[in-house]
Amino acid sequence: NMCNSQTYTKSGTGQALKKKNVTMFVENPGDLIDGQTGEYVFTLTSAVFDMPQGTNRYFQAEFDVPLGLEWSGTASDLTFKNGAAAWSPSSTTYDSGTRRLTAKYPLPIPITLAYSEIRVKLTANCTGLTGVSSVNLGFALYYVMDGGCTAPHKFSLTCYSSPLTQIHCPGGT
């Protein structure tokens, strides 16, 4: 225990080895003009997923949408699929204060993860911008083993990615 006042002894076999390995390739628009929509594609080029599974488990895709880009709020503008097979989110939320777009995908996984794609369409919005602005869309994919917890832990499946896009707005030089 944490006070070191008792000693415990237990023998037996623990949990079998679990593993995860996901690599990702990103395609994004290099340049957008005001009102133009671009598609960001996050391809899971390889994927091994064998993690413990509690109750209400899910994958969580998080996008940090910078000023200069806007999500339409339309479900078809955020997809997770492999070929014709799609994985529909159980919930999609956008927090306008933090500008975070979050989608939760419940397990079991209905698609093959390797070579699956998470696609999000975003539109350039020059409100408050002039000239050329460099913006980075942040993205990470997580696994939540037990969504029934009050504050569930998110295991990172991918490294945080932040592809750059130049937004071309009227005004400036």
Side-chain angles (χ1 to χ4, degrees), residues 76-98:
S76 62
D77 284 349
L78 176 59
T79 60
F80 194 164
K81 62 183 181 176
N82 189 331
W87 191 1
S88 298
S90 59
S91 71
T92 304
T93 57
Y94 178 73
D95 182 325
S96 59
T98 63

PDB file of all heavy atoms in Angstrom, residues 76-98:
ATOM      1  N   SER A  76     -21.157  14.873 -43.335  1.00  0.00           N
ATOM      2  CA  SER A  76     -20.421  14.384 -44.512  1.00  0.00           C
ATOM      3  C   SER A  76     -19.072  15.081 -44.678  1.00  0.00           C
ATOM      4  O   SER A  76     -18.239  14.635 -45.466  1.00  0.00           O
ATOM      5  CB  SER A  76     -21.262  14.569 -45.780  1.00  0.00           C
ATOM      6  OG  SER A  76     -21.528  15.944 -45.987  1.00  0.00           O
ATOM      7  N   ASP A  77     -18.833  16.153 -43.907  1.00  0.00           N
ATOM      8  CA  ASP A  77     -17.548  16.854 -43.970  1.00  0.00           C
ATOM      9  C   ASP A  77     -16.533  16.305 -42.967  1.00  0.00           C
ATOM     10  O   ASP A  77     -15.455  16.861 -42.803  1.00  0.00           O
ATOM     11  CB  ASP A  77     -17.739  18.352 -43.752  1.00  0.00           C
ATOM     12  CG  ASP A  77     -18.310  19.039 -44.987  1.00  0.00           C
ATOM     13  OD1 ASP A  77     -18.364  18.400 -46.054  1.00  0.00           O
ATOM     14  OD2 ASP A  77     -18.704  20.209 -44.882  1.00  0.00           O
ATOM     15  N   LEU A  78     -16.887  15.204 -42.288  1.00  0.00           N
ATOM     16  CA  LEU A  78     -15.970  14.512 -41.384  1.00  0.00           C
ATOM     17  C   LEU A  78     -16.247  13.017 -41.504  1.00  0.00           C
ATOM     18  O   LEU A  78     -17.306  12.542 -41.080  1.00  0.00           O
ATOM     19  CB  LEU A  78     -16.155  14.975 -39.937  1.00  0.00           C
ATOM     20  CG  LEU A  78     -15.310  14.254 -38.881  1.00  0.00           C
ATOM     21  CD1 LEU A  78     -13.819  14.387 -39.162  1.00  0.00           C
ATOM     22  CD2 LEU A  78     -15.641  14.793 -37.494  1.00  0.00           C
ATOM     23  N   THR A  79     -15.321  12.280 -42.121  1.00  0.00           N
ATOM     24  CA  THR A  79     -15.534  10.843 -42.340  1.00  0.00           C
ATOM     25  C   THR A  79     -14.329  10.035 -41.884  1.00  0.00           C
ATOM     26  O   THR A  79     -13.206  10.532 -41.856  1.00  0.00           O
ATOM     27  CB  THR A  79     -15.808  10.540 -43.832  1.00  0.00           C
ATOM     28  OG1 THR A  79     -14.683  10.963 -44.613  1.00  0.00           O
ATOM     29  CG2 THR A  79     -17.069  11.233 -44.324  1.00  0.00           C
ATOM     30  N   PHE A  80     -14.589   8.773 -41.521  1.00  0.00           N
ATOM     31  CA  PHE A  80     -13.551   7.803 -41.140  1.00  0.00           C
ATOM     32  C   PHE A  80     -13.920   6.544 -41.899  1.00  0.00           C
ATOM     33  O   PHE A  80     -14.934   5.911 -41.601  1.00  0.00           O
ATOM     34  CB  PHE A  80     -13.590   7.576 -39.636  1.00  0.00           C
ATOM     35  CG  PHE A  80     -12.386   6.870 -39.044  1.00  0.00           C
ATOM     36  CD1 PHE A  80     -12.189   6.920 -37.673  1.00  0.00           C
ATOM     37  CD2 PHE A  80     -11.472   6.170 -39.801  1.00  0.00           C
ATOM     38  CE1 PHE A  80     -11.104   6.287 -37.076  1.00  0.00           C
ATOM     39  CE2 PHE A  80     -10.384   5.534 -39.230  1.00  0.00           C
ATOM     40  CZ  PHE A  80     -10.204   5.597 -37.857  1.00  0.00           C
ATOM     41  N   LYS A  81     -13.133   6.190 -42.905  1.00  0.00           N
ATOM     42  CA  LYS A  81     -13.515   5.051 -43.728  1.00  0.00           C
ATOM     43  C   LYS A  81     -12.310   4.353 -44.328  1.00  0.00           C
ATOM     44  O   LYS A  81     -11.202   4.869 -44.314  1.00  0.00           O
ATOM     45  CB  LYS A  81     -14.477   5.485 -44.825  1.00  0.00           C
ATOM     46  CG  LYS A  81     -13.918   6.497 -45.797  1.00  0.00           C
ATOM     47  CD  LYS A  81     -14.981   6.918 -46.792  1.00  0.00           C
ATOM     48  CE  LYS A  81     -14.434   7.900 -47.783  1.00  0.00           C
ATOM     49  NZ  LYS A  81     -15.408   8.239 -48.800  1.00  0.00           N
ATOM     50  N   ASN A  82     -12.572   3.164 -44.842  1.00  0.00           N
ATOM     51  CA  ASN A  82     -11.593   2.398 -45.593  1.00  0.00           C
ATOM     52  C   ASN A  82     -12.340   1.851 -46.798  1.00  0.00           C
ATOM     53  O   ASN A  82     -13.211   0.996 -46.656  1.00  0.00           O
ATOM     54  CB  ASN A  82     -11.001   1.270 -44.770  1.00  0.00           C
ATOM     55  CG  ASN A  82      -9.822   0.626 -45.482  1.00  0.00           C
ATOM     56  OD1 ASN A  82      -9.756   0.617 -46.703  1.00  0.00           O
ATOM     57  ND2 ASN A  82      -8.884   0.101 -44.725  1.00  0.00           N
ATOM     58  N   GLY A  83     -12.022   2.373 -47.980  1.00  0.00           N
ATOM     59  CA  GLY A  83     -12.763   2.001 -49.179  1.00  0.00           C
ATOM     60  C   GLY A  83     -14.209   2.454 -49.035  1.00  0.00           C
ATOM     61  O   GLY A  83     -14.483   3.591 -48.679  1.00  0.00           O
ATOM     62  N   ALA A  84     -15.139   1.538 -49.252  1.00  0.00           N
ATOM     63  CA  ALA A  84     -16.559   1.873 -49.148  1.00  0.00           C
ATOM     64  C   ALA A  84     -17.083   1.734 -47.720  1.00  0.00           C
ATOM     65  O   ALA A  84     -18.167   2.204 -47.405  1.00  0.00           O
ATOM     66  CB  ALA A  84     -17.370   0.983 -50.082  1.00  0.00           C
ATOM     67  N   ALA A  85     -16.314   1.072 -46.857  1.00  0.00           N
ATOM     68  CA  ALA A  85     -16.758   0.861 -45.473  1.00  0.00           C
ATOM     69  C   ALA A  85     -16.486   2.098 -44.633  1.00  0.00           C
ATOM     70  O   ALA A  85     -15.378   2.610 -44.617  1.00  0.00           O
ATOM     71  CB  ALA A  85     -16.050  -0.354 -44.880  1.00  0.00           C
ATOM     72  N   ALA A  86     -17.522   2.559 -43.924  1.00  0.00           N
ATOM     73  CA  ALA A  86     -17.382   3.768 -43.103  1.00  0.00           C
ATOM     74  C   ALA A  86     -17.616   3.443 -41.634  1.00  0.00           C
ATOM     75  O   ALA A  86     -18.335   2.500 -41.291  1.00  0.00           O
ATOM     76  CB  ALA A  86     -18.375   4.823 -43.568  1.00  0.00           C
ATOM     77  N   TRP A  87     -17.005   4.245 -40.772  1.00  0.00           N
ATOM     78  CA  TRP A  87     -17.166   4.136 -39.323  1.00  0.00           C
ATOM     79  C   TRP A  87     -17.838   5.414 -38.869  1.00  0.00           C
ATOM     80  O   TRP A  87     -17.233   6.489 -38.884  1.00  0.00           O
ATOM     81  CB  TRP A  87     -15.807   3.964 -38.664  1.00  0.00           C
ATOM     82  CG  TRP A  87     -15.806   3.582 -37.225  1.00  0.00           C
ATOM     83  CD1 TRP A  87     -16.876   3.350 -36.410  1.00  0.00           C
ATOM     84  CD2 TRP A  87     -14.648   3.365 -36.413  1.00  0.00           C
ATOM     85  NE1 TRP A  87     -16.462   3.011 -35.149  1.00  0.00           N
ATOM     86  CE2 TRP A  87     -15.098   3.010 -35.123  1.00  0.00           C
ATOM     87  CE3 TRP A  87     -13.282   3.445 -36.651  1.00  0.00           C
ATOM     88  CZ2 TRP A  87     -14.219   2.737 -34.078  1.00  0.00           C
ATOM     89  CZ3 TRP A  87     -12.420   3.171 -35.613  1.00  0.00           C
ATOM     90  CH2 TRP A  87     -12.884   2.811 -34.343  1.00  0.00           C
ATOM     91  N   SER A  88     -19.079   5.323 -38.466  1.00  0.00           N
ATOM     92  CA  SER A  88     -19.839   6.505 -38.072  1.00  0.00           C
ATOM     93  C   SER A  88     -19.565   6.860 -36.616  1.00  0.00           C
ATOM     94  O   SER A  88     -19.546   5.984 -35.755  1.00  0.00           O
ATOM     95  CB  SER A  88     -21.341   6.262 -38.251  1.00  0.00           C
ATOM     96  OG  SER A  88     -21.625   6.014 -39.602  1.00  0.00           O
ATOM     97  N   PRO A  89     -19.413   8.148 -36.323  1.00  0.00           N
ATOM     98  CA  PRO A  89     -19.187   8.558 -34.937  1.00  0.00           C
ATOM     99  C   PRO A  89     -20.461   8.442 -34.107  1.00  0.00           C
ATOM    100  O   PRO A  89     -21.561   8.616 -34.624  1.00  0.00           O
ATOM    101  CB  PRO A  89     -18.735  10.011 -35.062  1.00  0.00           C
ATOM    102  CG  PRO A  89     -19.335  10.485 -36.343  1.00  0.00           C
ATOM    103  CD  PRO A  89     -19.395   9.284 -37.243  1.00  0.00           C
ATOM    104  N   SER A  90     -20.289   8.147 -32.820  1.00  0.00           N
ATOM    105  CA  SER A  90     -21.443   8.138 -31.909  1.00  0.00           C
ATOM    106  C   SER A  90     -21.777   9.560 -31.493  1.00  0.00           C
ATOM    107  O   SER A  90     -22.915   9.861 -31.132  1.00  0.00           O
ATOM    108  CB  SER A  90     -21.150   7.280 -30.679  1.00  0.00           C
ATOM    109  OG  SER A  90     -20.011   7.777 -29.997  1.00  0.00           O
ATOM    110  N   SER A  91     -20.782  10.453 -31.543  1.00  0.00           N
ATOM    111  CA  SER A  91     -21.029  11.869 -31.273  1.00  0.00           C
ATOM    112  C   SER A  91     -19.960  12.707 -31.951  1.00  0.00           C
ATOM    113  O   SER A  91     -18.828  12.266 -32.125  1.00  0.00           O
ATOM    114  CB  SER A  91     -21.038  12.153 -29.773  1.00  0.00           C
ATOM    115  OG  SER A  91     -19.741  12.051 -29.229  1.00  0.00           O
ATOM    116  N   THR A  92     -20.361  13.906 -32.343  1.00  0.00           N
ATOM    117  CA  THR A  92     -19.448  14.883 -32.918  1.00  0.00           C
ATOM    118  C   THR A  92     -19.765  16.218 -32.262  1.00  0.00           C
ATOM    119  O   THR A  92     -20.924  16.631 -32.251  1.00  0.00           O
ATOM    120  CB  THR A  92     -19.629  14.988 -34.445  1.00  0.00           C
ATOM    121  OG1 THR A  92     -19.459  13.696 -35.027  1.00  0.00           O
ATOM    122  CG2 THR A  92     -18.617  15.936 -35.061  1.00  0.00           C
ATOM    123  N   THR A  93     -18.746  16.857 -31.695  1.00  0.00           N
ATOM    124  CA  THR A  93     -18.966  18.145 -31.046  1.00  0.00           C
ATOM    125  C   THR A  93     -17.922  19.141 -31.515  1.00  0.00           C
ATOM    126  O   THR A  93     -16.791  18.773 -31.840  1.00  0.00           O
ATOM    127  CB  THR A  93     -18.876  18.037 -29.506  1.00  0.00           C
ATOM    128  OG1 THR A  93     -17.605  17.492 -29.149  1.00  0.00           O
ATOM    129  CG2 THR A  93     -19.972  17.159 -28.946  1.00  0.00           C
ATOM    130  N   TYR A  94     -18.330  20.402 -31.552  1.00  0.00           N
ATOM    131  CA  TYR A  94     -17.407  21.485 -31.862  1.00  0.00           C
ATOM    132  C   TYR A  94     -17.549  22.531 -30.764  1.00  0.00           C
ATOM    133  O   TYR A  94     -18.642  23.041 -30.519  1.00  0.00           O
ATOM    134  CB  TYR A  94     -17.693  22.100 -33.230  1.00  0.00           C
ATOM    135  CG  TYR A  94     -16.767  23.259 -33.541  1.00  0.00           C
ATOM    136  CD1 TYR A  94     -15.431  23.025 -33.855  1.00  0.00           C
ATOM    137  CD2 TYR A  94     -17.218  24.564 -33.488  1.00  0.00           C
ATOM    138  CE1 TYR A  94     -14.565  24.077 -34.114  1.00  0.00           C
ATOM    139  CE2 TYR A  94     -16.360  25.624 -33.745  1.00  0.00           C
ATOM    140  CZ  TYR A  94     -15.039  25.376 -34.059  1.00  0.00           C
ATOM    141  OH  TYR A  94     -14.181  26.419 -34.307  1.00  0.00           O
ATOM    142  N   ASP A  95     -16.447  22.830 -30.084  1.00  0.00           N
ATOM    143  CA  ASP A  95     -16.422  23.838 -29.024  1.00  0.00           C
ATOM    144  C   ASP A  95     -15.887  25.120 -29.635  1.00  0.00           C
ATOM    145  O   ASP A  95     -14.702  25.208 -29.963  1.00  0.00           O
ATOM    146  CB  ASP A  95     -15.523  23.355 -27.882  1.00  0.00           C
ATOM    147  CG  ASP A  95     -15.480  24.309 -26.706  1.00  0.00           C
ATOM    148  OD1 ASP A  95     -15.539  25.546 -26.918  1.00  0.00           O
ATOM    149  OD2 ASP A  95     -15.362  23.833 -25.566  1.00  0.00           O
ATOM    150  N   SER A  96     -16.755  26.117 -29.798  1.00  0.00           N
ATOM    151  CA  SER A  96     -16.348  27.364 -30.451  1.00  0.00           C
ATOM    152  C   SER A  96     -15.360  28.168 -29.601  1.00  0.00           C
ATOM    153  O   SER A  96     -14.612  28.981 -30.136  1.00  0.00           O
ATOM    154  CB  SER A  96     -17.570  28.222 -30.789  1.00  0.00           C
ATOM    155  OG  SER A  96     -18.300  28.531 -29.614  1.00  0.00           O
ATOM    156  N   GLY A  97     -15.332  27.936 -28.284  1.00  0.00           N
ATOM    157  CA  GLY A  97     -14.376  28.632 -27.423  1.00  0.00           C
ATOM    158  C   GLY A  97     -12.958  28.151 -27.621  1.00  0.00           C
ATOM    159  O   GLY A  97     -12.020  28.943 -27.770  1.00  0.00           O
ATOM    160  N   THR A  98     -12.773  26.818 -27.643  1.00  0.00           N
ATOM    161  CA  THR A  98     -11.442  26.243 -27.836  1.00  0.00           C
ATOM    162  C   THR A  98     -11.148  25.953 -29.295  1.00  0.00           C
ATOM    163  O   THR A  98     -10.023  25.638 -29.655  1.00  0.00           O
ATOM    164  CB  THR A  98     -11.297  24.923 -27.051  1.00  0.00           C
ATOM    165  OG1 THR A  98     -12.245  23.972 -27.567  1.00  0.00           O
ATOM    166  CG2 THR A  98     -11.519  25.131 -25.567  1.00  0.00           C
TER     167      THR A  98
END
